[in-house]
Amino acid sequence: MSPYAHRPCLGASIVLALVALAATVLVPAAPAEAHPFGDPQTVAIAPDAARPEVVHVRWRVGGVDDLTLLGVALGLLPQDRVMLDGAVFFQDSDAATIGPAGAFTAYLLKQITVDSGGRACTGTVTPSSDLARIGVTIDYTCPGPVGTVAVAVRTLTDLNPAYRTMASGPGGARAVYTSDQPSHDWVLGDAPPPAGADLGRSAAVQIAAVLGGVLLVVVGALVLFRRFGRRRRVAG
């Protein structure tokens, strides 16, 4: 029997190995879940129709247990509301206790900030009638009429960096805040769109590059397979 009799199997193995390598290296992994404890917190960003220098940011907690956890961290609720196994027990009175507290107001103004043209905007927290369900609104007054503003959201990520925030803005704009990416630009007035507005085109280019890389690997594998086939025929 020719020593090359089993080379086609070897060539096929190389093809499969290279294709598997391409799938592992070139195709990005699926993103992790958006929130470690349930529904993610949200923010809604909007300009003020009558006051062009004002930006409204409405923050709402994802789950009521997260609100209780924040209240405990701020010293507004007793520590025994969080069990040793991490379970958190929400009570209807928690929102009423946390909402008007100065510590909660200070926390929001520290963790949610708005900049316009590199200058900080001053925030004022509007009391909420139902903190747990409709959230709370912060009005930011900027030095002048706003065009593009940088809104940073770091709420709850100081408690656990896995928290994320789903954000919405004018014209159906969307963004996701994370501990690694706590700031996003939002177009609220007459200003050129931020660089992130071209994310769709950038993503398409990245996908094309990945598919091109996979194609090159497959073509290379086929060339190797044919080369092994020729050697077998010559040896035969």
Side-chain angles (χ1 to χ4, degrees), residues 117-146:
R119 302 171 65 185
C121 304
T122 303
T124 302
V125 178
T126 302
S128 174
S129 60
D130 193 344
L131 176 61
R133 292 172 177 79
I134 66 175
V136 61
T137 298
I138 311 171
D139 298 331
Y140 291 89
T141 302
C142 301
V146 297

Tab-separated table of all heavy atoms in Angstrom, residues 117-146:
chain	number	residue	atom	x	y	z
A	117	GLY	N	-20.313	71.302	25.382
A	117	GLY	CA	-19.143	72.037	24.923
A	117	GLY	C	-17.990	71.978	25.900
A	117	GLY	O	-17.209	72.929	26.001
A	118	GLY	N	-17.870	70.875	26.631
A	118	GLY	CA	-16.797	70.730	27.593
A	118	GLY	C	-17.051	71.424	28.915
A	118	GLY	O	-16.179	71.430	29.791
A	119	ARG	N	-18.220	71.985	29.094
A	119	ARG	CA	-18.568	72.685	30.334
A	119	ARG	C	-19.699	71.945	31.036
A	119	ARG	O	-20.674	71.522	30.407
A	119	ARG	CB	-18.972	74.130	30.037
A	119	ARG	CG	-17.890	74.919	29.311
A	119	ARG	CD	-18.394	76.270	28.843
A	119	ARG	NE	-18.732	77.148	29.957
A	119	ARG	CZ	-19.279	78.354	29.805
A	119	ARG	NH1	-19.576	78.801	28.582
A	119	ARG	NH2	-19.542	79.095	30.868
A	120	ALA	N	-19.564	71.794	32.341
A	120	ALA	CA	-20.543	71.032	33.115
A	120	ALA	C	-21.865	71.778	33.222
A	120	ALA	O	-21.906	73.006	33.343
A	120	ALA	CB	-19.997	70.742	34.505
A	121	CYS	N	-22.951	71.017	33.167
A	121	CYS	CA	-24.292	71.570	33.357
A	121	CYS	C	-24.738	71.286	34.791
A	121	CYS	O	-24.429	70.233	35.349
A	121	CYS	CB	-25.269	70.944	32.357
A	121	CYS	SG	-24.765	71.118	30.620
A	122	THR	N	-25.470	72.199	35.359
A	122	THR	CA	-25.906	72.086	36.753
A	122	THR	C	-27.223	71.325	36.837
A	122	THR	O	-28.197	71.672	36.158
A	122	THR	CB	-26.081	73.481	37.376
A	122	THR	OG1	-24.848	74.200	37.263
A	122	THR	CG2	-26.470	73.366	38.840
A	123	GLY	N	-27.244	70.290	37.676
A	123	GLY	CA	-28.428	69.452	37.777
A	123	GLY	C	-29.303	69.784	38.970
A	123	GLY	O	-28.814	70.161	40.034
A	124	THR	N	-30.604	69.614	38.761
A	124	THR	CA	-31.593	69.780	39.825
A	124	THR	C	-32.544	68.595	39.774
A	124	THR	O	-33.147	68.319	38.726
A	124	THR	CB	-32.394	71.086	39.656
A	124	THR	OG1	-31.497	72.195	39.645
A	124	THR	CG2	-33.390	71.248	40.794
A	125	VAL	N	-32.663	67.881	40.879
A	125	VAL	CA	-33.514	66.695	40.929
A	125	VAL	C	-34.946	67.104	41.256
A	125	VAL	O	-35.196	67.801	42.243
A	125	VAL	CB	-32.996	65.692	41.976
A	125	VAL	CG1	-33.926	64.477	42.062
A	125	VAL	CG2	-31.578	65.252	41.634
A	126	THR	N	-35.874	66.661	40.404
A	126	THR	CA	-37.293	66.932	40.631
A	126	THR	C	-37.892	65.801	41.460
A	126	THR	O	-37.753	64.629	41.091
A	126	THR	CB	-38.047	67.033	39.292
A	126	THR	OG1	-37.459	68.071	38.502
A	126	THR	CG2	-39.516	67.322	39.513
A	127	PRO	N	-38.544	66.103	42.577
A	127	PRO	CA	-39.139	65.040	43.407
A	127	PRO	C	-40.086	64.163	42.591
A	127	PRO	O	-40.836	64.649	41.738
A	127	PRO	CB	-39.887	65.823	44.492
A	127	PRO	CG	-39.178	67.144	44.561
A	127	PRO	CD	-38.751	67.445	43.152
A	128	SER	N	-40.031	62.862	42.848
A	128	SER	CA	-40.848	61.910	42.101
A	128	SER	C	-42.039	61.458	42.937
A	128	SER	O	-41.921	61.221	44.142
A	128	SER	CB	-40.010	60.690	41.707
A	128	SER	OG	-40.807	59.700	41.105
A	129	SER	N	-43.170	61.307	42.263
A	129	SER	CA	-44.368	60.821	42.950
A	129	SER	C	-44.366	59.302	43.086
A	129	SER	O	-45.080	58.746	43.922
A	129	SER	CB	-45.624	61.264	42.189
A	129	SER	OG	-45.607	60.745	40.863
A	130	ASP	N	-43.567	58.618	42.258
A	130	ASP	CA	-43.498	57.154	42.306
A	130	ASP	C	-42.120	56.726	41.807
A	130	ASP	O	-41.946	56.359	40.650
A	130	ASP	CB	-44.600	56.531	41.445
A	130	ASP	CG	-44.776	55.042	41.710
A	130	ASP	OD1	-43.869	54.435	42.313
A	130	ASP	OD2	-45.815	54.487	41.306
A	131	LEU	N	-41.146	56.795	42.685
A	131	LEU	CA	-39.753	56.541	42.312
A	131	LEU	C	-39.553	55.147	41.746
A	131	LEU	O	-38.821	54.960	40.764
A	131	LEU	CB	-38.857	56.749	43.536
A	131	LEU	CG	-37.370	56.446	43.356
A	131	LEU	CD1	-36.764	57.353	42.298
A	131	LEU	CD2	-36.632	56.597	44.686
A	132	ALA	N	-40.192	54.151	42.329
A	132	ALA	CA	-39.960	52.767	41.915
A	132	ALA	C	-40.487	52.482	40.515
A	132	ALA	O	-39.903	51.678	39.784
A	132	ALA	CB	-40.593	51.809	42.919
A	133	ARG	N	-41.564	53.141	40.105
A	133	ARG	CA	-42.219	52.781	38.845
A	133	ARG	C	-41.989	53.775	37.711
A	133	ARG	O	-41.843	53.373	36.560
A	133	ARG	CB	-43.719	52.584	39.084
A	133	ARG	CG	-44.006	51.350	39.932
A	133	ARG	CD	-45.465	51.254	40.335
A	133	ARG	NE	-45.719	50.021	41.078
A	133	ARG	CZ	-45.419	49.848	42.366
A	133	ARG	NH1	-44.860	50.835	43.055
A	133	ARG	NH2	-45.662	48.704	42.966
A	134	ILE	N	-41.950	55.056	38.019
A	134	ILE	CA	-41.759	56.031	36.940
A	134	ILE	C	-40.386	56.688	36.992
A	134	ILE	O	-39.994	57.388	36.061
A	134	ILE	CB	-42.853	57.121	36.957
A	134	ILE	CG1	-42.743	57.972	38.227
A	134	ILE	CG2	-44.226	56.491	36.840
A	134	ILE	CD1	-43.724	59.138	38.244
A	135	GLY	N	-39.653	56.464	38.074
A	135	GLY	CA	-38.311	57.003	38.165
A	135	GLY	C	-38.276	58.445	38.634
A	135	GLY	O	-39.238	58.958	39.210
A	136	VAL	N	-37.157	59.094	38.356
A	136	VAL	CA	-36.953	60.469	38.801
A	136	VAL	C	-36.312	61.256	37.665
A	136	VAL	O	-35.513	60.719	36.891
A	136	VAL	CB	-36.062	60.509	40.064
A	136	VAL	CG1	-34.688	59.910	39.788
A	136	VAL	CG2	-35.932	61.919	40.606
A	137	THR	N	-36.668	62.535	37.557
A	137	THR	CA	-36.151	63.386	36.490
A	137	THR	C	-35.154	64.397	37.051
A	137	THR	O	-35.395	65.002	38.100
A	137	THR	CB	-37.287	64.136	35.778
A	137	THR	OG1	-38.162	63.178	35.165
A	137	THR	CG2	-36.741	65.066	34.699
A	138	ILE	N	-34.051	64.548	36.334
A	138	ILE	CA	-33.039	65.537	36.692
A	138	ILE	C	-32.980	66.561	35.568
A	138	ILE	O	-32.826	66.195	34.390
A	138	ILE	CB	-31.656	64.889	36.879
A	138	ILE	CG1	-31.758	63.663	37.790
A	138	ILE	CG2	-30.663	65.892	37.443
A	138	ILE	CD1	-30.486	62.844	37.842
A	139	ASP	N	-33.121	67.829	35.911
A	139	ASP	CA	-33.038	68.912	34.934
A	139	ASP	C	-31.640	69.521	35.005
A	139	ASP	O	-31.216	69.998	36.067
A	139	ASP	CB	-34.089	69.983	35.221
A	139	ASP	CG	-35.509	69.445	35.118
A	139	ASP	OD1	-35.724	68.503	34.333
A	139	ASP	OD2	-36.396	69.961	35.833
A	140	TYR	N	-30.945	69.511	33.873
A	140	TYR	CA	-29.591	70.060	33.811
A	140	TYR	C	-29.619	71.373	33.037
A	140	TYR	O	-30.053	71.413	31.879
A	140	TYR	CB	-28.644	69.077	33.133
A	140	TYR	CG	-28.376	67.841	33.956
A	140	TYR	CD1	-29.193	66.721	33.842
A	140	TYR	CD2	-27.322	67.797	34.861
A	140	TYR	CE1	-28.964	65.588	34.600
A	140	TYR	CE2	-27.083	66.664	35.629
A	140	TYR	CZ	-27.910	65.564	35.492
A	140	TYR	OH	-27.684	64.445	36.253
A	141	THR	N	-29.155	72.426	33.680
A	141	THR	CA	-29.076	73.732	33.042
A	141	THR	C	-27.644	73.974	32.585
A	141	THR	O	-26.715	73.996	33.404
A	141	THR	CB	-29.512	74.847	34.009
A	141	THR	OG1	-30.844	74.584	34.461
A	141	THR	CG2	-29.479	76.198	33.316
A	142	CYS	N	-27.465	74.129	31.282
A	142	CYS	CA	-26.135	74.291	30.696
A	142	CYS	C	-25.809	75.777	30.511
A	142	CYS	O	-26.697	76.633	30.564
A	142	CYS	CB	-26.072	73.546	29.366
A	142	CYS	SG	-26.408	71.764	29.528
A	143	PRO	N	-24.538	76.105	30.279
A	143	PRO	CA	-24.132	77.509	30.142
A	143	PRO	C	-24.793	78.239	28.976
A	143	PRO	O	-24.855	79.471	28.968
A	143	PRO	CB	-22.617	77.417	29.946
A	143	PRO	CG	-22.226	76.122	30.584
A	143	PRO	CD	-23.370	75.202	30.321
A	144	GLY	N	-25.266	77.500	27.978
A	144	GLY	CA	-25.912	78.117	26.826
A	144	GLY	C	-26.755	77.088	26.100
A	144	GLY	O	-26.864	75.931	26.529
A	145	PRO	N	-27.392	77.472	24.997
A	145	PRO	CA	-28.197	76.522	24.218
A	145	PRO	C	-27.377	75.289	23.843
A	145	PRO	O	-26.213	75.399	23.456
A	145	PRO	CB	-28.595	77.336	22.981
A	145	PRO	CG	-28.557	78.760	23.445
A	145	PRO	CD	-27.422	78.831	24.422
A	146	VAL	N	-27.995	74.131	23.964
A	146	VAL	CA	-27.262	72.889	23.745
A	146	VAL	C	-27.410	72.417	22.303
A	146	VAL	O	-28.441	72.629	21.662
A	146	VAL	CB	-27.746	71.785	24.705
A	146	VAL	CG1	-27.480	72.174	26.134
A	146	VAL	CG2	-29.221	71.482	24.501
